[in-house]
Amino acid sequence: MVQCEMCGTETSSPKTIKVEGAKLDVCSNCTEFGTEVKQPSSSSSSTKYSTGSSSSSSSSGGATSGGSTSSSSGGSRRQDMFDDMDELATDYDDRVRNAREEKGLSQSELANELNEKASLVRKIERGDTLPSDQVQSKLESHLGIDLSAEGGSAEDSEWSGGSASGSYTLGDVVKRKD
């Protein structure tokens, strides 16, 4: 007997459904919460939680030591798409406002020159919205400023990530607004 991954009842014939991108084995009562997924006939080497790279490594030799375990324990952090992105400065709103005022432009004049809406410029200067990459590059080139953070802020540099011994607690990191 298998337990339904949605409600927890025991079922002898679970159905696989997809709910918001996740595949779940559920009982017949819970199939209405998603769309039923037809199982391919040859799914012997991969599980429902495996990725393409881990299923190919497990099916090639059957040993788990040569897969992603050895690459992740090499000491280097895995790369992701955010590593290549520039971080926006925390005071971007002040930088935009000061540069606009130095050029003697109003918010609507700057918006016209950038071919953007004046409300967007107002929201950026108030810090209510972050500029998109396209708007950020327009602002930087037109106003002659840099909106990216230079190597992180002082708050980022003091954080070393803690250690496995548990030397940092949540109280060490969080700043209260009392």
Side-chain angles (χ1 to χ4, degrees):
M1 295 283 269
V2 178
Q3 228 178 10
C4 173
E5 293 178 342
M6 182 87 60
C7 67
T9 60
E10 298 275 334
T11 179
S12 59
S13 58
K15 305 253 192 257
T16 302
I17 63 168
K18 197 170 202 176
V19 179
E20 294 187 8
K23 291 182 183 176
L24 303 172
D25 289 332
V26 298
C27 65
S28 58
N29 294 336
C30 295
T31 55
E32 65 191 45
F33 297 115
T35 56
E36 191 168 348
V37 176
K38 301 296 181 198
Q39 291 290 344
S41 59
S42 62
S43 63
S44 60
S45 65
S46 66
T47 64
K48 65 180 177 181
Y49 299 112
S50 65
T51 59
S53 62
S54 64
S55 66
S56 64
S57 66
S58 64
S59 65
S60 63
T64 57
S65 63
S68 61
T69 311
S70 63
S71 64
S72 64
S73 64
S76 64
R77 190 175 64 80
R78 216 172 82 180
Q79 294 288 331
D80 62 15
M81 63 182 267
F82 298 109
D83 291 337
D84 298 331
M85 295 173 62
D86 288 335
E87 196 171 322
L88 192 64
T90 56
D91 62 338
Y92 71 94
D93 50 348
D94 294 329
R95 292 183 189 187
V96 171
R97 185 182 315 103
N98 293 336
R100 177 186 56 81
E101 289 172 352
E102 284 178 13
K103 290 207 173 227
L105 297 172
S106 69
Q107 290 177 338
S108 58
E109 290 171 341
L110 176 63
N112 286 337
E113 292 179 11
L114 296 177
N115 199 19
E116 297 291 337
K117 292 184 178 181
S119 61
L120 177 66
V121 174
R122 280 193 296 277
K123 288 179 181 179
I124 289 172
E125 287 188 2
R126 279 195 315 252
D128 290 344
T129 187
L130 298 173
S132 66
D133 291 340
Q134 183 181 8
V135 172
Q136 179 180 346
S137 64
K138 283 182 187 180
L139 286 167
E140 288 176 338
S141 64
H142 190 76
L143 296 174
I145 56 174
D146 184 24
L147 296 178
S148 60
E150 294 86 17
S153 65
E155 294 174 8
D156 291 340
S157 62
E158 74 183 38
W159 173 253
S160 62
S163 67
S165 66
S167 61
Y168 287 111
T169 65
L170 186 60
D172 295 331
V173 179
V174 174
K175 293 185 174 124
R176 295 179 54 178
K177 290 185 175 182
D178 289 342

